[in-house]
């Protein structure tokens, strides 16, 4: 019997082997036009097994000869290959021209496919960011997004940027700031500096410099009501969502990049040379009736060398800023756990003389884990940045333009600062007054989610931020001429300390269910947030030695300017209902009930919401077979958001220390009046847009129209001086409207195995208008705003030209009283808002070469840079050589005067506030240029790229006041930066 069983068993095994297909191992490499691809999914069709490519694009998988391998990767066309008798399969994936429709964008509390979104969201990714040698996150977006206007405020390292998303909504400057969210955590962008310390900048120190661009994976801008209403009161001015890089499944990968560059001022003003300047001065004294030059006219009376010429702009601003950066990351992980750890360091010197330097370093990490059954998910991320900024306390830009071209040398024969016997103030002396800022910043978040059932998920995020900033500004006695005999008893120290920390908890529940022919997605959540800010601003005067100047306790006189702690609490409940019927009709409802501690009892809570709808027209039967239109979508949205950006405790009666003694006790003084009716600003937003893809989306067009109306403005209502207060915070029934057109075109011009060329174009045409302001003519704002005009205006005298007989500037006498006076005759509106702005980007790849460049353009007016009366002891723009000379002359500029011609002096003061003091500030700028080469190496485990990058490389403009980008006259313009770098991946 046993032998029979053995025979049956052997016979069955041999028979089974005849029908079982032998397995074989398939290896290969997956590439695209730029090289190997990491993380390509390779599945056996019809089976649950598969693998991923490693960091070198290689894979290995066991299959049967009859199996079919499916290669898929986001943004590329899927490829299927039958095994047959192959053992090595190399695949080259082609980019999918319909990628846009499948891209998933971050909408904040949820993600959505780009083709299925109902709101207005603009996006850039790490590929766009990595081509730019910048250190500020806002700089990465300039010229790349429709409706987003970003302006650099200064070229000094550590300076800030201004951003407007679809215009100005609030009468208050600080009420127009968007909400920033980093990995799901709101990040406070309010200043952390003080006017007492950060005098080198036109605005106080911004915390946004702490965000490291190299760590960013994507930036999304939420613009319309549908996209922003889920953020309620914090989304009135738009939302900036920043997502940092994360690890990906695959073998551990190390990425190291380093770069070094040089930065220089983009452009200088054209000023008079020594001969032109001295001719102007001589003519001015002649016009003023002088036969001899006075003793104080050192530049022309022979005290200074009249053959000497110094281009002070090149001397004081013409240095080269050296910029170095190193970035490294380690990432990888399994199907269940992925990680990324990164570190970065950046330093930058300045164009000013001296050893000033800005240093920034940081670390970031991200860990993602999910259970084997994919029900439990955990994400933990953190970003830490430390900055150490040492700059001169004063910007030398004005001095570089003002100084006489024959002013003395900076140093004497012994190498000491030259004071030329007290005949001038050496500009380098101010460099001994220093600004030092040390900033430490932490942003962290934990997200835990659990899938109760396939359609129901609960999750909660726990975020924490901590920002600490210490700033000092010194004014040592050594900035003065030693001949004055001023010692350290005249030295001063200014100190500002700002600490800000916040926590946020956001529990959420998400239910997804297929109903009829549609998909229903419901999200409910709440927010609990608290932010605590501490500020201490002090100064001290009089030290026994300048070596003790950083020790405030060593000052003989100490004063506390500000010492306060504010607590901001925020609570909300929000929800979203989205229904997608047949992938054709989409409806999105969002609502939010916000509570803010910044308002009084009865007004702390408000409700905001929006509705968005979209119709994917290309899904209709009558359009599906169209050979030209491959995708078409019409969307519309309407809703309300709010604004509580007014500061803390504004509705309360508040008191502060008087600082004075009364019977040996320091008293309190009232600083604010109670207003129980203080409530939210409201912003109503409407948008309609059409998105269309042509020729298989090789041409993709988006056209949008928007209208935003902001009302119930939060402002300081001026009060009579008899009340003891200058103003009271209240709601003003003024209405501000922003309308505009946004147009975006993305094209795939050429795509083949060796050559790819893509173009992106965007243009925005915004219009801002003050629609209503009851009682404007009787308010304190009557000389600042005009109904029917934009908020960003200046009221000016209407300049009529130069009187050919007297040589004096002439202006329109608006009220006809025979004289030019303020404010009656300063009534002409000058609009400083951009008429339109945008960008044109091209990306060209040929074999191993990649070229990326962006042109930014802006149509706008800017104020001219004036340097006082032409004829005084200040240099002047070179065009003023054409000033009026004799009766009957026709000239655009008035008669020279040293200051003794009162009519000319008065006329010049009017001119600086007239329409003549504004000019075309439009420009086209080659904003970024990047050229990269992927070096072919024998090792398949190492990828090496070298690159050359430039920022602000070329500028085309008619503006004569220096750089046209920003309106902060007298501050260092943005720098032209050229850098080279190398990137290793292994």
């Amino acid at each position: 019997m046993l032998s029979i069983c053995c025979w049956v068993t052997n016979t069955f095994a041999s028979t089974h082997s005849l029908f079982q297909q032998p397995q074989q191992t398939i290896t290969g490499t997956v590439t695209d036009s730029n090289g190997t691809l990491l993380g390509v999914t390779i599945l056996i069709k019809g089976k649950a097994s598969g693998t991923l490519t490693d960091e070198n694009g290689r894979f290995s998988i066991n299959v049967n000869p009859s199996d079919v391998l499916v290669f898929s990767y986001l943004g590329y066309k899927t490829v299927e290959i039958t095994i047959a008798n192959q053992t090595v399969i190399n695949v080259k994936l082609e980019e999918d021209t319909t990628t846009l429709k499948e891209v998933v964008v971050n909408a904040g509390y949820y993600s959505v496919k780009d083709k299925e979104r109902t709101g207005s969201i603009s996006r850039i990714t790490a590929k766009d960011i990595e081509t730019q040698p910048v250190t500020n996150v806002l700089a990465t977006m300039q010229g790349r997004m429709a409706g987003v206007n970003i302006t650099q405020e200064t070229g000094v390292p550590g300076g800030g940027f201004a951003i407007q998303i679809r215009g100005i909504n609030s009468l208050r400057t600080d009420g127009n700031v968007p909400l920033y969210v980093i990995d799901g955590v709101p990040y406070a962008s309010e200043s952390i500096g003080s006017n007492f310390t950060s005098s080198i900048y036109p605005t106080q120190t911004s915390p946004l410099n702490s965000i490291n661009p190299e760590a960013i994976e994507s930036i999304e801008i939420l613009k319309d009501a549908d996209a922003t209403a889920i953020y309620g009161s914090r989304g009135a001015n738009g939302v900036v969502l920043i997502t940092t890089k994360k690890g990906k499944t695959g073998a551990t990968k190390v990425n190291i990049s380093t770069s070094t560059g040089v930065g220089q001022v983009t452009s200088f003003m054209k000023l008079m040379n020594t001969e032109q300047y001295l001719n102007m001065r001589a003519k001015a004294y002649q016009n003023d009736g002088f036969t001899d030059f006075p003793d104080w006219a050192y530049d022309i009376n022979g005290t200074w060398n009249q053959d000497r010429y110094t281009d002070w702009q090149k001397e004081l601003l013409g240095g080269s800023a050296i910029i170095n950066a190193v970035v490294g990351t380690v990432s990888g992980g399994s199907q269940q756990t992925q990680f990324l750890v990164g570190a970065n360091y950046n330093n930058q010197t300045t164009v000013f003389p001296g050893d000033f330097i800005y240093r920034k370093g940081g670390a970031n990490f991200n860990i993602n884990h999910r259970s084997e059954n994919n029900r439990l998910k955990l994400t933990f991320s953190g970003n830490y940045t430390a900055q150490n900024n040492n700059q001169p306390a004063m910007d030398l830009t004005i001095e570089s333009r003002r100084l006489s071209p024959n002013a003395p040398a900076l140093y004497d024969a012994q190498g000491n600062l030259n004071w030329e016997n007290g005949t001038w103030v050496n500009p380098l002396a101010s460099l001994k007054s220093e600004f030092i800022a040390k900033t430490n910043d932490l942003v962290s978040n934990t997200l835990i989610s659990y899938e109760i059932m396939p359609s129901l998920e609960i999750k909660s995020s726990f975020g924490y931020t901590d920002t600490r900033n210490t700033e000092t500004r010194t004014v040592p006695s050594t900035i003065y001429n030693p001949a004055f005999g001023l010692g350290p008893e005249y030295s001063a120290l200014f100190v500002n300390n700002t600490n800000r920390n916040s926590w946020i908890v956001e529990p959420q529940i998400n239910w997804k269910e297929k109903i009829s022919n549609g998909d229903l997605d419901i999200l409910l959540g709440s927010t609990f947030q608290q932010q605590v800010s501490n500020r201490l601003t002090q100064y001290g005067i009089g030290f026994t030695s300048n070596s003790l100047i950083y020790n405030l306790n060593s000052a003989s006189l100490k004063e506390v300017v500000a010492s306060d702690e504010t607590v901001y609490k925020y609570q909300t409940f929000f929800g979203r209902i989205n229904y997608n019927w047949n992938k054709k009709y989409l409806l999105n409802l969002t609502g939010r009930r916000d509570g803010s501690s910044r308002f009084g009892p009865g007004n702390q809570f408000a409700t905001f919401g929006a509705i968005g709808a979209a119709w994917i027209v290309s899904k209709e039967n009558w359009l599906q077979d169209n050979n030209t239109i491959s995708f078409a979508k019409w969307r519309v949205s309407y809703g309300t958001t709010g604004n509580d950006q007014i500061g803390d405790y504004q509705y309360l009666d508040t008191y502060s220390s008087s600082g004075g003694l009364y019977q040996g006790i320091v008293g309190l003084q009232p600083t604010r009046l109670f207003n129980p009716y203080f409530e939210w600003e409201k912003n109503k937003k409407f948008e309609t847009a059409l998105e269309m893809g042509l020729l298989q989306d090789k041409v993709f067009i988006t056209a949008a129209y928007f209208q935003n109306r902001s009302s119930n403005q939060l402002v300081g209502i001026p009060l009579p001086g008899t009340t003891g207060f200058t103003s009271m915070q209240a709601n003003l029934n003024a209405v501000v409207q922003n309308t505009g057109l946004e147009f975006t075109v993305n094209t795939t011009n050429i795509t083949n195995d060796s050559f790819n060329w893509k173009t992106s174009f965007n243009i925005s045409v915004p219009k801002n208008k003050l629609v209503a302001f009851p009682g404007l003519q009787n308010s304190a704002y009557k000389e600042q705003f005009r109904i029917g005009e934009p908020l960003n205006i200046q009221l000016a005298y209407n300049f009529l030209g130069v009187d050919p007989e007297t040589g004096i500037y002439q202006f329109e006498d608006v009220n006809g009283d025979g004289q030019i006076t303020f404010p009656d005759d300063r009534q002409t509106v000058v609009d400083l808002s951009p008429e339109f702005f945008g960008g044109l980007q091209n990306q060209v790849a040929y074999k191993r070469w990649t070229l990326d460049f962006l042109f930014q353009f802006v149509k706008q007016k800017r104020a001219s840079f004036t340097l006082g009366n032409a004829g005084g002891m200040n240099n002047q723009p070179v065009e003023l050589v054409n000033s009026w000379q004799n009766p009957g002359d026709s000239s655009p500029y008035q008669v020279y005067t040293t200051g003794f011609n009162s009519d000319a002096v008065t006329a010049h003061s009017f001119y600086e506030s007239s329409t003549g003091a504004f000019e075309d500030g439009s420009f086209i700028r080659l904003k970024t240029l990047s050229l990269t080469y992927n070096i072919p190496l024998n090792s398949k485990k190492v990828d090496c790229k070298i690159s050359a990058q430039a920022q602000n490389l070329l500028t085309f403009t008619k503006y004569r006041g220096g750089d046209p980008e920003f309106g902060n006259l007298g501050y260092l313009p943005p720098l032209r930066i050229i850098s080279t770098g190398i990137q290793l991946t292994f």
Side-chain angles (χ1 to χ4, degrees), residues 681-803:
E681 279 186 7
K682 293 181 175 62
N683 195 328
K684 298 179 180 179
K685 298 185 177 185
F686 168 78
E687 183 192 53
T688 181
L690 177 66
E691 300 175 9
M692 183 172 293
L694 307 176
L695 306 175
Q696 295 301 308
D697 291 357
K698 289 183 178 180
V699 178
F700 202 93
I701 302 170
T702 301
Y705 169 80
F706 68 89
Q707 180 190 80
N708 300 340
R709 281 200 167 196
S710 180
S711 60
N712 215 29
Q713 296 284 327
L714 295 170
V715 295
I717 304 296
L719 296 177
T722 54
T723 64
F725 297 87
T726 58
S727 66
M728 179 179 71
Q729 298 297 331
N731 293 96
L732 183 66
N733 191 25
V735 178
V736 178
Q737 176 177 283
N738 286 283
T739 58
L741 293 172
E742 296 173 2
F743 191 68
T744 302
V745 181
N746 297 305
T747 64
T748 301
N749 307 315
I750 300 174
T751 177
N752 57 45
D753 291 343
S754 60
F755 187 79
N756 292 275
W757 175 23
K758 297 180 179 180
T759 300
S760 297
F761 173 79
N762 74 85
I763 185 171
S764 304
V765 186
K767 183 64 176 178
N768 176 261
K769 182 170 65 174
L770 179 61
V771 176
F773 194 136
L776 174 61
Q777 291 305 313
N778 298 319
S779 75
Y781 299 99
K782 65 179 180 179
E783 301 306 326
Q784 184 177 354
F785 302 122
R786 287 290 179 269
I787 295 176
E789 299 289 346
L791 297 185
N792 188 22
I793 63 171
Q794 287 196 18
L795 296 179
Y797 300 102
N798 187 26
F799 177 62
L800 300 178
V802 176
D803 188 324

Side-chain angles (χ1 to χ4, degrees), residues 177 183 253 305 350 421 491 559 584 597 630 709 731 769 805 876 912 940 961:
V177 180
D183 287 337
K253 181 174 71 172
N305 184 352
T350 74
N421 299 318
S491 297
E559 187 79 23
K584 185 189 303 183
S597 63
S630 49
R709 281 200 167 196
N731 293 96
K769 182 170 65 174
E805 297 303 318
Q876 295 291 332
E912 289 183 327
K940 294 184 179 180

Side-chain angles (χ1 to χ4, degrees), residues 156-327:
V156 177
F161 287 72
I163 179 173
Q164 290 180 9
I165 300 175
R166 290 188 168 177
I168 304 172
N169 295 308
S170 177
L171 298 179
R172 297 170 294 106
T173 302
D174 58 356
N176 292 292
V177 180
L179 170 68
Y180 295 87
V181 180
I182 304 175
D183 287 337
V185 181
Y187 185 80
S189 60
E190 293 92 343
S191 164
I192 52 175
S194 166
N195 291 330
F196 284 89
T197 51
S198 51
S199 54
I200 183 66
Y201 302 120
T203 56
Q204 298 176 10
T205 306
S206 169
L208 297 179
N209 285 305
S210 296
I211 304 173
N212 176 30
E214 289 90 352
I216 296 175
E217 180 63 34
S218 67
I219 302 174
E220 277 93 357
I221 302 291
L222 313 186
K223 296 183 287 188
D224 72 329
D226 178 77
T228 62
I230 199 166
Y231 284 98
S233 63
R234 297 180 295 180
N237 301 307
V239 183
V240 181
L241 301 178
I242 299 172
T243 304
T244 59
K245 294 178 179 177
K246 297 174 173 58
K248 298 178 181 179
T249 301
T252 300
K253 181 174 71 172
V254 178
N255 186 295
I256 299 174
S257 62
T258 180
S259 65
T260 184
V262 176
Q264 295 179 321
V265 172
T266 53
S267 62
F268 293 125
M269 283 187 67
K270 294 181 179 179
L271 303 174
M272 293 181 180
N273 59 31
T274 299
E275 180 183 1
Q276 294 166 332
Y277 171 80
L278 293 178
N279 287 338
M280 175 192 69
R281 290 279 284 154
K283 183 64 176 177
Y285 277 113
Q286 179 185 336
N287 294 340
D288 291 344
F290 284 79
T291 56
D292 296 313
F293 299 126
D295 294 340
W296 62 81
Y298 309 118
D299 55 343
I300 197 171
N301 66 9
T303 302
W304 294 353
N305 184 352
Q306 298 190 21
D307 294 325
R308 178 179 178 81
Y309 171 71
T310 302
D311 185 335
W312 289 110
Q313 293 183 100
K314 291 184 178 179
E315 190 76 22
L316 301 178
L317 311 178
S320 296
I322 306 302
I323 305 166
N324 298 301
V326 179
V327 181

Side-chain angles (χ1 to χ4, degrees), residues 960-971:
R960 297 169 297 179
D963 191 277
E965 179 175 333
F966 67 112
N968 296 318
L969 300 178
Y971 288 90

Side-chain angles (χ1 to χ4, degrees), residues 450-595:
Y450 184 76
E451 187 180 277
I452 299 176
M453 59 183 68
S455 61
L456 184 63
E457 181 184 54
I458 58 172
K459 63 181 177 180
S460 184
S461 64
F462 307 86
Y464 179 77
T465 70
D466 186 85
T467 302
R468 301 174 184 270
N469 180 61
T470 300
E471 291 182 352
T472 59
R473 177 170 67 94
T474 58
V475 187
S477 58
T478 51
I479 68 171
Y480 305 114
N481 188 337
F484 297 160
L486 302 178
E489 66 273 13
Y490 290 92
S491 297
L493 169 68
F494 299 86
V495 182
N496 178 72
N497 293 283
T498 300
N499 296 326
R500 179 190 296 153
N501 64 76
S502 70
W503 59 261
I504 184 171
V505 178
E506 293 189 304
Q508 301 167 50
I509 184 169
N510 190 201
W511 180 57
K512 297 180 181 181
E513 190 69 49
K514 189 170 185 63
I515 299 178
S516 184
N517 289 330
D519 297 311
L520 179 65
D521 189 341
I522 298 178
L523 172 69
L524 297 174
S526 60
T527 299
F528 304 91
Q529 182 183 1
Q530 177 176 291
Q531 176 178 293
V532 180
S533 301
N534 291 276
R535 180 184 57 160
L536 176 61
T537 306
Q538 309 170 82
Y539 71 85
I541 300 175
F543 295 82
T544 57
S545 169
N546 281 325
S547 62
L548 298 173
I549 197 170
Y550 285 100
N551 187 337
L552 189 62
N553 288 328
S554 299
S556 57
L557 172 65
K558 295 180 283 291
E559 187 79 23
V560 176
V561 178
S563 177
D564 52 57
E565 177 181 270
T566 60
V567 179
Y568 171 49
K569 294 183 178 180
Y570 192 82
Q571 180 180 338
T572 186
F573 299 93
F574 59 87
R576 170 182 180 255
I577 301 175
N578 180 271
Y579 188 65
N580 184 338
W581 190 81
N582 205 26
K583 303 295 183 181
K584 185 189 303 183
Y585 306 111
L586 302 105
L587 181 66
N588 195 57
L589 302 174
T590 54
R592 189 173 177 111
R593 177 73 171 171
D594 281 345

Side-chain angles (χ1 to χ4, degrees), residues 892-930:
Y893 305 106
Q894 74 170 5
V895 61
Y896 294 140
T897 179
T898 61
F900 287 89
N901 185 335
S902 60
D903 290 340
V905 172
T906 301
H908 179 77
S909 68
F910 288 145
Y911 177 82
E912 289 183 327
S913 300
S914 77
T915 55
F918 296 89
E919 59 181 296
D920 186 1
S922 307
F923 66 91
I924 299 174
R925 169 169 283 165
L926 181 53
K927 191 66 183 179
T928 60
L929 175 67
S930 174

